Amino acid sequence: MPADRIPIARFSAITRISQRALRYYDRLEILVPEARDPFTGYRYYTSSQMELGVKIKAICSLGFSLEDLKTYLQAEACGDWDTVDSLMEGRLSAVRLEMLRLKRIEALLKEERTELIGMALTEPAVKDVPALRVICRKETGILSPTIEKLIGELCSFVDLPASKRNQLKVIGPVIAIYHEDCAKGNENDRERGDEHVSVEAEAISDWSEKEVSIEVALPIAGKVEGEGSGIEVKSLPAARMLSMIHKGSYPTLHKSYQSVFKYMAGAGLEVAGPIRELYLSDPCKTAEEELLTEIQIPYRKER
């Protein structure tokens, strides 16, 4: 065997990448072996590939996804340092969020009595939300009555004979999407401390008293026929969100917004798009104090 022909087992030991991962990287064309035996199919690497293997191991150890890993390597290969820097900054923001989350967990665990369910409900978490195909309707109006009206119109559309004929089905919870800019306010207001409600939370609590732009969506499967009366079919884009579960009545949602915005301020994050609320409980069958609502906030590093 030539000296510069390294079998996969030895290359795995040198780079500390498992053989299974090396085979996977080969399929994804992230790290392709220099040669392959035409009879046995054995993979062989060269000494010149060791540096790339070690680099891949180091990047993965920082918590980058495979997609980000590919983007990083491609950007570095063509000298696109802006993309490399952007990936590093994004990962740093995610690490800081995770550190804040772990500090909160540490504080809770130090309490004599820790309610694990309460911790799960009150702890913001980073969540990759997939794209969703929905039917939706948008309108400007007072918060609660407008949401109820739009939900009724969407449900009526699903119940139409044409929708039933096309096996149109709702496959997820009702989603309210807020297009108002709730992230206004100055930095001093957002750093007041626990005894003050953040500017953003105050803005959201004020929505119940004024007209705002609201979109209500229902995740669906099946064919849609006869769009009209303001109802449209579209795909809500995939996004990385800061997610938090609120337990309690809808008028108390601002308390959870207060917590999540304080969390964002501590991590140097800002709102980066429309906020979503997912109503996980049926208010007709669930007591107010037991209602579960998921808040999803797209975020980015403060500019």
Side-chain angles (χ1 to χ4, degrees):
M1 180 186 299
D4 199 35
R5 202 174 182 194
I6 307 170
I8 189 171
R10 191 185 307 165
F11 193 80
S12 172
I14 294 169
T15 60
R16 298 187 179 182
I17 301 174
S18 71
Q19 294 184 47
R20 181 179 179 182
L22 285 171
R23 294 186 184 97
Y24 190 47
Y25 293 157
D26 182 10
R27 290 199 299 272
L28 296 179
E29 298 184 344
I30 292 175
L31 179 54
V32 179
E34 195 70 28
R36 189 188 299 265
D37 190 298
F39 299 105
T40 64
Y42 290 166
R43 296 168 171 83
Y44 294 97
Y45 299 83
T46 63
S47 57
S48 62
Q49 292 183 293
M50 289 182 188
E51 182 179 350
L52 177 58
V54 171
K55 181 182 293 183
I56 288 172
K57 178 66 175 179
I59 293 171
C60 289
S61 70
L62 295 176
F64 283 96
S65 66
L66 283 175
E67 182 180 348
D68 285 344
L69 170 63
K70 289 185 71 173
T71 303
Y72 184 103
L73 294 174
Q74 290 167 358
E76 188 180 57
C78 64
D80 183 1
W81 303 115
D82 287 341
T83 296
V84 170
D85 290 343
S86 176
L87 286 168
M88 296 295 282
E89 288 174 6
R91 184 63 195 139
L92 181 59
S93 294
V95 168
R96 285 172 175 163
L97 277 173
E98 181 66 8
M99 289 172 66
L100 281 172
R101 188 183 73 84
L102 291 174
K103 285 180 180 177
R104 286 171 176 263
I105 291 175
E106 180 185 29
L108 286 167
L109 290 173
K110 287 180 178 177
E111 296 291 331
E112 290 185 6
R113 296 181 182 179
T114 300
E115 295 185 11
L116 294 180
I117 293 178
M119 179 178 70
L121 293 175
T122 59
E123 185 63 34
V126 174
K127 181 176 183 179
D128 287 316
V129 178
L132 281 175
R133 180 170 173 258
V134 300
I135 55 171
C136 56
R137 180 130 162 49
K138 186 177 179 182
E139 193 170 293
T140 298
I142 304 299
L143 191 65
S144 292
T146 303
I147 289 178
E148 290 176 10
K149 174 177 176 287
L150 296 180
I151 291 174
E153 291 174 356
L154 291 174
C155 289
S156 296
F157 182 84
V158 173
D159 287 335
L160 289 174
S163 298
K164 292 184 179 296
R165 186 169 58 250
N166 291 320
Q167 297 185 327
L168 182 65
K169 294 180 180 179
V170 178
I171 58 171
V174 174
I175 304 170
I177 305 166
Y178 300 109
H179 295 273
E180 294 291 315
D181 181 7
C182 67
K184 295 177 180 177
N186 61 54
E187 195 65 29
N188 291 331
D189 287 331
R190 284 188 289 185
E191 294 179 351
R192 293 177 184 174
D194 291 340
E195 71 274 14
H196 290 85
V197 177
S198 69
V199 169
E200 295 94 334
E202 285 178 350
I204 288 174
S205 64
D206 286 344
W207 287 356
S208 61
E209 303 169 3
K210 67 175 185 177
E211 291 194 346
V212 292
S213 177
I214 306 165
E215 185 174 15
V216 172
L218 292 180
I220 56 160
K223 182 180 176 182
V224 177
E225 182 181 320
E227 294 177 57
S229 303
I231 293 176
E232 62 174 315
V233 183
K234 69 178 183 181
S235 178
L236 296 181
R240 176 161 289 184
M241 302 277 199
L242 201 58
S243 168
M244 187 169 184
I245 304 295
H246 173 82
K247 184 178 181 181
S249 65
Y250 299 136
T252 61
L253 270 165
H254 68 277
K255 296 179 181 179
S256 289
Y257 276 107
Q258 177 182 356
S259 297
V260 74
F261 281 128
K262 181 182 176 184
Y263 184 85
M264 291 176 70
L269 303 175
E270 64 183 8
V271 179
I275 292 172
R276 302 179 191 178
E277 285 178 3
L278 282 68
Y279 305 116
L280 307 179
S281 306
D282 184 346
C284 296
K285 301 177 181 178
T286 309
E288 274 198 344
E289 63 274 12
E290 297 297 323
L291 290 171
L292 295 179
T293 305
E294 182 181 0
I295 298 168
Q296 293 181 351
I297 302 179
Y299 66 90
R300 65 182 171 221
K301 192 70 179 173
E302 283 184 344
R303 296 174 177 175

